[in-house]
Amino acid sequence: MDHLMDTASAEADEHLIREAEKIAVALGRMFPGLCEVVLHDLRDPQHAIRAIENNLSGRRVGDSATELGLARIADPQYPSVIQNYPNQFPDGRPAKSTSIGIKNAAGEYIAALCLNLDVSVLSPVTLALANLVATDTEHREQPLEALRDRNARELRRAVEVCAAERGGTPRSLGREAKKALVRQLHGDGYFDSRDAAQTIADLLGVSRATVYNYTK
């Protein structure tokens, strides 16, 4: 009886993964050249990749599970969905990733569906849209033009690129992402100009005092 139950359970798990494979293939083909979709079979962590559609990372079917996959195998209470986290392809291109754990009827993780969006492809679009919709409605103590034009353009572009690498526009980022962005700009020397803090504050939609607090 136990053997029959184990066989039925294994067949049910396999059926579930086959259905997930259809989703992986369909999603990848919907976003060619933009979003890699990988299905991991967590029942065999040494050869976990069951399907990879729109391959952007250079991995292959049969490659091993990632650290996130191993974490799910070790802990059934691990979050089912990890949404929009920063990632990186092997060649250094920034990515925005989402990982969806798939459990069987027994509550065990047996698979994971992972989406890796190539942010570098979208960055020029993000910058263009950010520039298109940007407004200057806020009242400032010092006008943006107080910066030399070249420095102002460089600073705006640096903020927008940093935001794009984190999967959003400057104003759409969360508090911790904005804080990390400000610290990066500070470390890169963008605060050398007296008007830089106000410019960054305007782009992020926060106060100048907040920007200085983020540098601490």
Side-chain angles (χ1 to χ4, degrees):
M1 180 64 72
D2 289 343
H3 175 71
L4 292 176
M5 291 180 63
D6 290 343
T7 300
S9 177
E11 290 177 351
D13 290 353
E14 179 62 25
H15 174 75
L16 192 59
I17 291 177
R18 284 199 303 268
E19 292 300 301
E21 191 169 351
K22 296 178 186 177
I23 298 172
V25 171
L27 284 174
R29 292 180 180 178
M30 187 173 180
F31 302 104
L34 183 61
C35 185
E36 175 185 81
V37 185
V38 186
L39 178 65
H40 297 269
D41 184 344
L42 300 182
R43 300 172 303 174
D44 184 10
Q46 294 302 315
H47 307 90
I49 294 184
R50 174 74 171 256
I52 181 165
E53 190 68 29
N54 197 22
N55 193 331
L56 299 175
S57 64
R59 290 175 294 174
R60 299 179 179 180
V61 170
D63 282 357
S64 60
T66 62
E67 292 84 353
L68 201 158
L70 296 176
R72 284 200 171 107
I73 294 171
D75 181 12
Q77 300 306 313
Y78 199 86
S80 295
V81 178
I82 307 294
Q83 188 89 47
N84 296 335
Y85 60 91
N87 209 341
Q88 191 176 64
F89 291 110
D91 61 4
R93 284 173 298 159
K96 182 171 78 169
S97 298
T98 291
S99 177
I100 306 164
I102 299 172
K103 290 183 176 182
N104 61 12
E108 303 165 331
Y109 281 116
I110 60 168
L113 185 64
C114 300
L115 294 81
N116 302 308
L117 184 69
D118 186 351
V119 177
S120 69
V121 175
L122 293 176
S123 292
V125 178
T126 301
L127 296 178
L129 290 175
N131 288 331
L132 181 65
V133 302
T135 59
D136 294 319
T137 58
E138 296 86 357
H139 297 286
R140 305 187 184 97
E141 294 179 4
Q142 297 291 336
L144 189 60
E145 288 73 19
L147 284 169
R148 288 188 293 115
D149 286 346
R150 178 173 173 272
N151 286 346
R153 288 196 301 270
E154 288 178 350
L155 181 55
R156 285 197 297 270
R157 178 169 177 80
V159 171
E160 290 162 355
V161 168
C162 289
E165 289 175 349
R166 290 167 171 80
T169 60
R171 286 176 175 258
S172 72
L173 297 177
R175 180 180 181 277
E176 290 304 315
K178 288 181 178 179
K179 187 173 184 179
L181 185 152
V182 169
R183 288 185 172 181
Q184 180 178 337
L185 294 172
H186 188 265
D188 291 341
Y190 281 99
F191 279 69
D192 292 345
S193 168
R194 66 176 185 175
D195 297 309
Q198 185 62 58
T199 301
I200 295 169
D202 291 339
L203 291 169
L204 294 180
V206 299
S207 69
R208 185 177 179 179
T210 297
V211 168
Y212 279 123
N213 285 335
Y214 283 170
T215 65
K216 298 177 182 179

